[in-house]
Amino acid sequence: MSAEYATFGLAPAMRAGGVLTNGDYQVHRDFVDFIVDGRPLLFQLSDLDAVSPLASDVPPAIFTAQVRGLLLEAEAPPADGRYVIYGCPECENIECGAVTAVIEKDGEDFVWRDFAWQTDERADLELNGYHGIGPFRFHGTEYRDALSSLLDGGSGPRRRVLLIGARVAVLAKLAAALRTIGIGADITHDATAVPADELREYGAVAFGRAVGEKERAAVRQSFARAGVEVAYIDGLAPIIPLLVAQTEHALDRSPEERRRLTRLVAADGEAGIEVTSTCRVRLTAYRLDRLYRTHVHEVFDDVLEAGRHRIPLDPKATKGESFVVARTSGSVLVAAMER
């Protein structure tokens, strides 16, 4: 069987959730991505909004079955022996579209071949095949060790956020928005009395702008005494979609060198962006006027090639106190407009 050897690995990844400008919500998903020859396989499949079957929010029995399937230790899929490699992040229906591939053994090696975009029971390789992807041959030991490590259990991503601030109404709206996209959120004014076991459930702490340094230091000490490392978020402004984006960025546990969106700078009426692979990038500007009313502007939505880009922004969208959110399917960055 003709297939060149490739390295196989796994890495944490994220499908970024968020509150969209049209009022819709995008669900947050943590999953394990496939790393082929040192690069996420998802990045080789154009600008695809999808997650692998190895998602952290699926029941343990289903997660184990997915791993066993990839190891060819479970019953083969009914249609052509094809396995779902990436699927819809919002549901599990094949009708939404999925990337599938044939997985088979050749001696001790595992081979992934005939990648295709599939929307029904049969894949049309001629019409919907990814002709430039694969086949990949993986050394059996490397492949089995990587996937078997997922069956050892261990703690998954901590997807709860502790919210601390003076504006209860804002915190309540933020907590509701986070829960809607799949992130747990709790509100407190004092974390010193929270048991260590409970603190270990949090992956991030978000401070409102009115929280003083003394209160922040006390919270940090509580987590330090519990031996818990969390990301700390300094809320930029009482704008719910902006705070959700900051939280998404803080919860991103994927290695920085394997993210698509790696840089965002907002200054002098333009945004500086760096992406590591071709992908769709959306820029949204939020600003507060003198009466603290929020104004939202979609300022950019297009596909960018890998590299650094400078994007002019509409002056109306960035006057006064303003902020820019850059979003791809798997990454979110936030920056305050500098002047």
Side-chain angles (χ1 to χ4, degrees):
M1 183 179 299
S2 61
E4 294 185 2
Y5 276 106
T7 61
F8 181 86
L10 303 169
M14 179 182 81
R15 190 274 188 138
V19 180
L20 306 182
T21 55
N22 62 1
D24 291 342
Y25 292 86
Q26 184 168 288
V27 176
H28 173 105
R29 301 292 303 278
D30 291 297
F31 64 99
V32 176
D33 200 4
F34 308 111
I35 308 301
V36 177
D37 282 338
R39 186 165 178 255
L41 179 60
L42 186 59
F43 291 7
Q44 302 181 42
L45 299 170
S46 66
D47 185 41
L48 188 64
D49 183 15
V51 299
S52 82
L54 307 177
S56 64
D57 55 351
V58 301
I62 296 178
F63 184 92
T64 298
Q66 297 287 3
V67 175
R68 296 293 187 195
L70 294 173
L71 288 168
L72 302 183
E73 296 175 357
E75 186 176 350
D80 303 330
R82 303 187 67 82
Y83 292 78
V84 172
I85 306 301
Y86 295 106
C88 174
E90 301 284 347
C91 69
E92 300 178 1
N93 294 329
I94 190 68
E95 291 81 4
C96 289
V99 176
T100 65
V102 174
I103 301 178
E104 57 192 10
K105 288 194 70 176
D106 185 21
E108 291 298 313
D109 298 335
F110 288 79
V111 176
W112 288 16
R113 62 175 176 83
D114 295 340
F115 288 82
W117 178 253
Q118 191 169 340
T119 55
D120 52 35
E121 292 184 0
R122 298 288 176 179
D124 188 333
L125 293 179
E126 183 175 350
L127 182 63
N128 296 316
Y130 287 97
H131 302 292
I133 306 297
F136 301 115
R137 178 185 292 271
F138 304 117
H139 289 286
T141 300
E142 180 183 58
Y143 184 88
R144 282 189 297 270
D145 287 350
L147 287 169
S148 297
S149 67
L150 299 176
L151 302 176
D152 297 335
S155 59
R158 289 171 286 154
R159 296 193 302 151
R160 297 191 68 82
V161 181
L162 187 62
L163 310 179
I164 301 175
R167 302 182 64 175
V168 178
V170 173
L171 296 181
K173 291 179 181 179
L174 175 58
L178 291 171
R179 291 166 188 155
T180 299
I181 67 173
I183 298 174
D186 299 307
I187 302 171
T188 188
H189 296 289
D190 184 4
T192 57
V194 179
D197 286 345
E198 292 186 22
L199 293 180
R200 294 189 182 97
E201 296 297 317
Y202 295 105
V205 176
F207 294 114
R209 295 201 290 185
V211 179
E213 187 52 45
K214 183 178 179 180
E215 292 85 352
R216 295 173 186 238
V219 171
R220 292 189 177 96
Q221 289 174 2
S222 296
F223 278 91
R225 285 194 299 269
V228 182
E229 292 186 9
V230 296
Y232 292 100
I233 307 164
D234 294 319
L236 289 173
I239 302 172
I240 300 305
L242 180 69
L243 295 172
V244 170
Q246 284 190 264
T247 304
E248 283 286 342
H249 173 65
L251 291 175
D252 192 350
R253 296 293 186 262
S254 61
E256 289 192 11
E257 67 273 12
R258 290 176 179 155
R259 299 180 188 179
R260 265 185 167 151
L261 183 62
T262 57
R263 177 177 176 267
L264 171 65
V265 177
D268 300 324
E270 67 178 20
I273 296 174
E274 183 172 3
V275 293
T276 59
S277 64
T278 300
C279 61
R280 178 187 177 191
V281 177
R282 288 172 288 167
L283 295 182
T284 306
Y286 299 89
R287 71 177 183 87
L288 293 173
D289 63 19
R290 288 176 294 179
L291 299 178
Y292 289 95
R293 294 172 300 193
T294 301
H295 300 266
V296 184
H297 301 266
E298 292 282 3
V299 293
F300 182 82
D301 186 349
D302 206 348
V303 175
L304 295 178
E305 300 289 333
R308 293 192 173 189
H309 305 268
R310 297 173 63 179
I311 300 172
L313 304 177
D314 185 344
K316 295 180 181 179
T318 58
K319 65 181 180 181
E321 186 178 12
S322 58
F323 313 89
V324 177
V325 174
R327 179 183 294 275
T328 68
S329 61
S331 302
V332 176
L333 290 178
V334 181
M337 177 61 66
E338 300 178 5
R339 304 194 182 278

